[in-house]
Structure formats: C-alpha cells, structure tokens
Amino acid sequence: MDAKLADWSDDDVPANVAPVSSKRDKTVVLQHMFTQKELEEDPAALLEIKEDIRDECSKLGVVTSVVLYDEEEDGIVTVKFKEPESALACINLMHGRSFGGMKVEAALATGKERFKRSKANNDDSDN
C-alpha cells in the first residue's frame, strides 16, 4: 500500500483535459501607469492614458476592457483580454518597461484585488 501511495503524483494531468481558463487568466494588472498629479493637472489624461494602453495592448490580442483606477496611488490600470495567451504576452511586454518615467509592474489578476476609482470614472463602457 505504501508503494502505491509513493507512486501517486498530483502533477500528472490527463492529456485530454484542457487547462481551465478563468477571467483572472485574461486580466492583467498594470501598476505605475500614471500619477495622481497627472490626472489632477489634465482631466483629459485619464482618457488618453486608457487609449494609449488599449492601442499598445491591442497589438497582443483582442482587448475587451481597460479600466483606470484613478483613486489608486500606485497608478493602477487593468486590461482584460479575450485570450489568456494575450494576457501573458502583455505581462512579458509591459513588466519592467518605462512608462511616463516610471517602471511598470505587470501581473495576472488574482481576483482578490479591490481597486478604487472615482464616481466620475465609473464608465466601463470601453468593452
């Protein structure tokens, strides 16, 4: 019996089972994409930043949503892709890159994030 238990491996995945894709696999969290000062000085900056990010990320795959969290000190933007492969490509492209003089951090969403944005920035209509 001990020999059978020792041979058991949780790492073995049946070949016919596709990896499960969730919303988190497709959503990238980008940090340091803007500063509060930028948004205060130029109210149009919010839309410009979102458009720039959408344009850049669209080169990697279909972007379904870009949300800028204007009340986050860390300059948080989330980008949701149609395919998880595009999200991974986004992380590879953006992580460590300089954007507006700041070093970008990029990672997949964990699903536990609770970012803040103002009521005026509540349109998520860029889906």
Side-chain angles (χ1 to χ4, degrees):
M1 180 71 150
D2 287 339
K4 284 186 178 182
L5 289 175
D7 285 343
W8 183 265
S9 173
D10 290 332
D11 296 334
D12 295 340
V13 178
N16 62 348
V17 176
V20 177
S21 176
S22 74
K23 187 167 124 177
R24 290 184 306 249
D25 296 340
K26 300 174 188 177
T27 305
V28 177
V29 177
L30 301 172
Q31 293 184 30
H32 311 298
M33 299 302 290
F34 61 90
T35 64
Q36 295 295 317
K37 187 177 178 185
E38 274 180 276
L39 299 182
E40 289 167 11
E41 290 175 354
D42 182 9
L46 190 142
L47 287 175
E48 290 171 14
I49 293 167
K50 284 174 70 170
E51 286 177 21
D52 287 349
I53 293 169
R54 180 180 286 277
D55 289 346
E56 191 66 23
C57 291
S58 291
K59 297 173 186 174
L60 306 169
V62 177
V63 173
T64 60
S65 146
V66 176
V67 180
L68 186 145
Y69 293 89
D70 58 339
E71 291 191 353
E72 290 292 332
E73 291 292 326
D74 287 338
I76 305 288
V77 177
T78 58
V79 181
K80 185 175 176 190
F81 291 90
K82 186 174 182 185
E83 301 295 331
E85 296 80 16
S86 301
L88 293 176
C90 177
I91 291 169
N92 289 333
L93 175 70
M94 300 296 275
H95 189 75
R97 187 174 178 178
S98 182
F99 189 81
M102 297 179 290
K103 191 172 183 177
V104 175
E105 292 179 35
L108 283 178
T110 64
K112 296 179 181 175
E113 297 90 352
R114 296 292 175 255
F115 301 125
K116 298 176 288 205
R117 60 184 171 166
S118 66
K119 299 266 190 269
N121 177 28
N122 209 12
D123 82 342
D124 200 341
S125 60
D126 54 13
N127 291 337

